[in-house]
């Protein structure tokens, strides 16, 4: 059991500042996700935790013990990478057993028993004699997970473990990973660029951008109360309206966007400009406040709902309705309480 701390971690390569002053605490037993667009520093953060990279500045500690100078094999971490990285000429059981090369199995178990236990944990019972090429992508990734977990590490690090799989398999595997993680209560740091996946699996997540942490929170907080416009747009769809604050008292604020005043919740600071974010589901034909006329550009049938992309005054609008609109124009409104306001950048 481990809690993990990064304090002021920066990492510079020759010409790139890959990480800048990262502060993060991952609690014991937590499923913690690093999410953000390509190149924002997720993998570098994970590699720094694992000990494959040393930070240029700052420190990484496990349960208060500094990991400075400790090599990966001394850190008690299990790592699963994007590619399966299984040994093709070893059987499944030998691949899992390879995870025990630095450390004997826990609780005095034999290697054979430990391998069998792990294969059963990842639902691959009886497949120990197969070769990796006789497995599906999802099965191979579960072998990689079993290998990482074999020495009973304190910390599990997963770097886009599902990116090579198709959508349905990803969903199944992510449920399996989540179940195994919570059964073992193992502190886990998970890297993904897929915001929906991050919201679905995490106890908490950090949204990263350009080598920095933009916001840390539980999935509901990140989704409902994004701290910045970047988070609001990266995590789920939002209609974003930026304008001038023309009134603000305890009953609410009014934001002028292209000469049109929108009613939103009261603002806590005195900024002159503000950005209004409205989730697709909050825009409705039957709400009579904050109404806008939307020119429909595309509508996508998603089964339960229809997602519509359109424009109001040249600005992108995304909404979600039960049925496709009849024409190419549509009037919708939103309740001020459903709008979330962030500072303008
Ligand atoms: P992706 O989702 O594309 O894997 P990421 O968020 O994991 O991206 P990193 O791989 O951590 O991002 O990269 C962060 C930045 O550091 C990028 O600008 C990348 O080009 C740079 N970088 C990473 N590794 C090295 C390296 N070994 N040498 C030089 N620059 C590097």
């Amino acid at each position: 059991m481990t809690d993990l701390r990064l304090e002021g971690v920066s990492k510079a390569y020759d010409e790139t500042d890959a990480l800048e002053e990262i502060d993060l605490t991952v609690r014991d037993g937590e499923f913690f996700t690093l999410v953000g667009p390509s190149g924002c520093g997720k993998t570098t953060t994970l590699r720094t935790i694992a000990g494959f990279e040393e930070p240029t500045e700052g420190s990484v500690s496990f349960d208060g013990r500094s990991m400075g100078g400790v090599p990966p094999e001394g850190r008690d971490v299990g790592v699963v990478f994007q590619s399966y990285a299984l040994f093709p000429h070893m059987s499944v059981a030998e691949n899992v057993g390879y995870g025990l090369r630095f450390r004997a199995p826990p609780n005095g178990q034999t290697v054979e028993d430990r391998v069998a236990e792990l294969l059963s944990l990842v639902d691959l019972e009886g497949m120990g004699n197969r070769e990796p090429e006789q497995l599906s992508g999802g099965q191979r990734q579960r072998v990689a997970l079993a290998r990482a977990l074999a020495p009973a590490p304190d910390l599990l690090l997963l770097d886009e473990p599902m990116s090579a799989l198709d959508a349905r398999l990803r969903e199944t595997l992510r449920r399996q990973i989540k179940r195994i993680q919570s059964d073992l209560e193992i502190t886990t740091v998970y890297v993904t660029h897929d915001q929906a996946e991050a919201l679905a699996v995490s106890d908490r997540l950090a949204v990263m951008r350009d080598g920095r942490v933009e916001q840390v929170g539980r999935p509901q907080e990140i989704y409902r109360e994004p701290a910045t416009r970047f988070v609001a747009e990266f995590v789920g769809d939002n209609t974003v309206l930026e304008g001038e604050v023309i009134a603000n008292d305890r009953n609410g604020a009014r934001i002028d966007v292209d000469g049109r005043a929108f009613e939103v919740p009261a603002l806590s600071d005195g900024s002159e400009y503000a950005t209004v974010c409205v989730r697709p589901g909050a825009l409705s034909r039957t709400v009579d406040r904050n109404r806008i006329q939307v020119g429909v550009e595309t509508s996508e049938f998603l089964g339960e709902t229809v997602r519509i992309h359109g424009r109001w005054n040249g600005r992108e609008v995304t909404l979600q309705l039960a049925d496709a609109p009849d024409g190419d124009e549509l009037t919708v409104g939103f309740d001020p309480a459903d709008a979330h306001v962030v500072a303008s950048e």
Side-chain angles (χ1 to χ4, degrees):
M1 298 298 111
T2 292
D3 59 35
L4 159 71
R5 198 149 191 189
L6 276 71
E7 285 172 284
V9 169
S10 296
K11 177 74 188 175
Y13 294 107
D14 296 343
E15 288 171 10
T16 323
D17 288 327
L19 301 179
E20 292 181 61
E21 293 175 29
I22 303 282
D23 289 313
L24 282 177
T25 301
V26 180
R27 300 174 195 138
D28 186 20
E30 195 167 40
F31 196 116
F32 191 92
T33 300
L34 303 172
V35 66
S38 181
C40 72
K42 306 176 295 289
T43 296
T44 305
T45 306
L46 203 78
R47 291 177 58 82
T48 306
I49 297 168
F52 299 123
E53 305 284 351
E54 277 295 321
T56 317
E57 275 175 60
S59 65
V60 175
S61 57
F62 295 177
D63 278 338
R65 271 179 307 128
S66 167
M67 288 293 125
V70 179
E73 59 276 16
R75 293 198 180 192
D76 215 359
V77 294
V79 190
V80 180
F81 293 107
Q82 203 160 347
S83 57
Y84 318 119
L86 297 180
F87 298 106
H89 303 301
M90 286 188 189
S91 69
V92 164
E94 285 164 348
N95 266 285
V96 175
Y98 188 79
L100 296 162
R101 68 199 177 286
F102 293 123
R103 179 184 279 226
N107 309 321
Q109 264 177 314
T110 62
V111 169
E112 207 179 7
D113 286 352
R114 181 66 181 161
V115 168
E117 183 183 352
L118 263 302
L119 287 179
S120 143
L121 182 75
V122 299
D123 296 327
L124 291 175
E125 240 157 355
M127 298 216 189
N129 291 328
R130 291 211 194 171
E131 302 252 317
E133 66 174 14
Q134 296 171 301
L135 301 179
S136 70
Q139 289 170 330
R140 284 182 215 174
Q141 213 39 322
R142 270 142 57 200
V143 175
L145 179 64
R147 181 174 65 187
L149 290 170
D154 282 340
L155 189 61
L156 179 63
L157 305 177
L158 305 167
D159 190 356
E160 304 248 13
M162 303 189 278
S163 56
L165 308 176
D166 68 52
R168 185 169 286 267
L169 249 181
R170 287 173 77 101
E171 236 182 278
T172 315
L173 186 62
R174 91 176 178 216
R175 277 202 296 275
Q176 280 174 316
I177 290 180
K178 179 73 188 168
R179 174 193 45 87
I180 292 166
Q181 186 274 337
S182 72
D183 284 355
L184 298 178
E185 297 178 347
I186 183 170
T187 311
T188 298
V189 183
Y190 183 80
V191 162
T192 180
H193 63 271
D194 180 336
Q195 49 85 23
E197 198 163 277
L199 293 178
V201 296
S202 316
D203 293 318
R204 287 189 308 142
L205 54 145
V207 181
M208 294 185 69
R209 174 196 192 184
D210 293 342
R212 293 177 181 271
V213 171
E214 189 96 352
Q215 186 175 4
V216 178
R218 290 182 298 112
Q220 297 87 334
E221 283 165 359
I222 299 277
Y223 188 80
R224 296 197 188 123
E225 292 160 46
T228 62
R229 176 174 181 159
F230 174 80
V231 175
E233 292 190 300
F234 183 74
V235 178
D237 285 324
N238 250 310
T239 294
V240 176
L241 304 167
E242 214 168 323
E244 191 182 348
V245 181
I246 49 175
N248 185 24
D249 62 32
R250 64 193 157 79
N251 297 320
R254 289 167 75 80
I255 316 281
D256 178 291
V257 183
D258 301 338
R260 164 86 164 77
F262 288 94
E263 300 171 76
V264 298
L267 308 177
S268 54
D269 62 9
S271 18
E272 265 180 72
Y273 292 90
T275 299
V276 182
C277 307
V278 189
R279 292 289 179 197
L283 289 165
S284 156
R285 281 187 271 216
T286 55
V287 174
D288 59 10
R289 295 171 80 180
N290 292 322
R291 282 178 85 75
I292 50 175
Q293 198 171 43
V294 180
V296 175
E297 292 181 345
T298 59
S299 46
E300 300 167 314
F301 178 63
L302 302 179
E304 299 289 316
T305 55
V306 179
R307 173 137 315 201
I308 295 148
H309 294 276
R311 282 184 192 271
W312 168 74
N313 252 11
R315 293 161 190 273
E316 274 181 55
V317 177
T318 308
L319 47 146
Q320 191 162 312
L321 301 176
D323 306 296
D326 295 332
D328 50 12
E329 287 225 321
L330 166 84
T331 304
V332 289
F334 63 91
D335 196 307
D338 288 334
H340 178 72
V341 183
V342 296
S344 287
E345 286 178 4

